[in-house]
Amino acid sequence: MKYICLCTLAAALGGLLFGYDTAVVNGSIEYLVQDFNLSANQEGWAASSALIGCIFGAMLAGMIGDRFGRKKAMLICAALFTVSAVGSAIPQTLSMFVWARFIGGLGVGGASMLSPMYIAEIAPEKIRGRLVSIYQLAIAAGLLVAFLVNMLIQRMGDTAWNTDMGWRWMFGSEMIPAVLFGVVLLIVP
């Protein structure tokens, strides 16, 4: 039972990343807008581009999970989260940023389907609901962690620093849970 709970926590990191990726843009968007001098339309596109990726990630996740297995499909999601974190932290143009966020959206959409499915498949029937609910809790935890990390990064400098570098650190910080997700997935069945 302990092993099943550990595997559930490992898969639930997909939910944490779902929440993190969704919330990280909230603390960084004003600095991104200033850094790239974005119009209102461009700001909306920058903020919502991950959602477009979510649509495609969710559409493809079932097929990929069926073909390669849930674990391998979640490893792909971990890789997408990592690529997105790096790409969102280092873009030189709005287009580069949007593509990086789209890639992260693929991971979010995939994880939103694969992680709870994996948990449900490994969980004993009598506690399946409780274990799958950990995924939902992880989403909320990811939202909270992203807001806290954004706040801590924002406090590291003034507005000029946040406009130049802070927002990049906010997006780049997602590498930590993304890599952790990939590593812990290597030990689950």
Side-chain angles (χ1 to χ4, degrees):
M1 185 58 77
K2 190 177 189 180
Y3 184 66
I4 295 294
C5 289
L6 289 174
C7 291
T8 296
L9 291 173
L13 280 173
L16 184 124
L17 282 157
F18 178 159
Y20 199 102
D21 195 78
T22 302
V24 73
V25 74
N26 290 320
S28 58
I29 193 70
E30 88 177 74
Y31 304 116
L32 177 75
V33 167
Q34 291 174 20
D35 193 22
F36 285 134
N37 195 25
L38 302 180
S39 68
N41 286 339
Q42 291 171 318
E43 177 183 359
W45 181 232
S48 64
S49 55
L51 298 175
I52 305 299
C54 286
I55 294 167
F56 290 102
M59 284 179 8
L60 298 171
M63 179 180 61
I64 293 169
D66 288 344
R67 180 171 176 128
F68 300 107
R70 311 296 183 244
K71 178 180 173 175
K72 287 181 182 173
M74 287 189 298
L75 281 165
I76 292 169
C77 290
L80 292 170
F81 283 124
T82 304
V83 167
S84 175
V86 172
S88 297
I90 63 167
Q92 300 303 308
T93 65
L94 176 62
S95 294
M96 291 171 67
F97 178 80
V98 166
W99 278 110
R101 294 292 292 151
F102 175 84
I103 290 167
L106 292 172
V108 169
S112 70
M113 185 172 179
L114 294 162
S115 291
M117 186 185 312
Y118 178 85
I119 294 168
E121 289 174 346
I122 65 166
E125 184 178 340
K126 65 182 178 180
I127 62 166
R128 186 171 296 140
R130 279 181 271 173
L131 292 181
V132 173
S133 70
I134 291 171
Y135 175 78
Q136 295 299 323
L137 180 62
I139 294 171
L143 292 163
L144 178 62
V145 169
F147 286 127
L148 292 173
V149 168
N150 280 355
M151 178 188 70
L152 292 172
I153 291 171
Q154 187 179 31
R155 289 181 177 178
M156 291 171 59
D158 60 7
T159 301
W161 181 84
N162 279 296
T163 300
D164 187 44
M165 295 298 298
W167 70 267
R168 295 175 184 275
W169 283 96
M170 292 175 196
F171 284 104
S173 67
E174 189 177 0
M175 284 188 300
I176 296 167
V179 170
L180 180 63
F181 184 43
V183 168
V184 297
L185 285 175
L186 296 174
I187 61 170
V188 302

